Amino acid sequence: LGTFFLWLCWPAFNSALLANNTFERGLIVTNTTYALAGSCIASLIVSALLKEGFSFLLLQRATLAGGVFIGCSAQIIYYPGLSLALGAIAGVASCLSLRYMQGRC
C-alpha cells in the first residue's frame, strides 16, 4: 500500500514544490515517474541476480530511493532515458545496501 501511495503521490509532490509553469510541471511528473519505474525494474533485476527471490521490501525501498534521488533534479533533466538511468542507479544502490550492509534481502 505504501509503494502504491508513492507511485501516485510522489510525482505530484515533486511538481507542486518545484514547478513554475505547465511545461516544468509535466517535465517533473514525467521524470519522477521514469525514475520510479527505473528503480523498481532495477530492484527486480538485482533480486533475480542475487537469487534471493522477489521481495516486497526491496521494491518498497527502491521506490523510495528512486523518488528521492530524482527529487531536486527532476526539473532540469530533458531526456527521459537519463531519469530512467538515475532511478535504476538508486534502485541498485538501495538493493545492494539492504543486502550487504544490513545482511538481509
Side-chain angles (χ1 to χ4, degrees):
L1 186 60
T3 304
F4 184 68
F5 178 75
L6 283 174
W7 269 92
L8 287 177
C9 294
W10 204 283
F13 176 72
N14 278 349
S15 67
L17 292 177
L18 300 173
N20 293 328
N21 55 36
T22 307
F23 174 74
E24 282 186 359
R25 187 172 294 121
L27 188 66
I28 292 168
V29 168
T30 303
N31 285 335
T32 304
T33 304
Y34 278 129
L36 292 175
S39 64
C40 289
I41 291 168
S43 71
L44 294 175
I45 291 170
V46 168
S47 176
L49 290 176
L50 294 176
K51 296 182 178 32
E52 296 292 333
F54 177 72
S55 172
F56 281 111
L57 181 63
L58 287 175
L59 189 62
Q60 289 172 347
R61 286 179 54 119
T63 303
L64 186 60
V68 169
F69 200 69
I70 198 71
C72 292
S73 62
Q75 66 183 356
I76 60 172
I77 297 173
Y78 290 105
Y79 301 106
L82 183 58
S83 58
L84 187 69
L86 289 174
I89 290 169
V92 168
S94 172
C95 291
L96 293 178
S97 71
L98 183 65
R99 169 69 189 262
Y100 294 110
M101 291 185 183
Q102 294 184 357
R104 60 178 187 226
C105 188

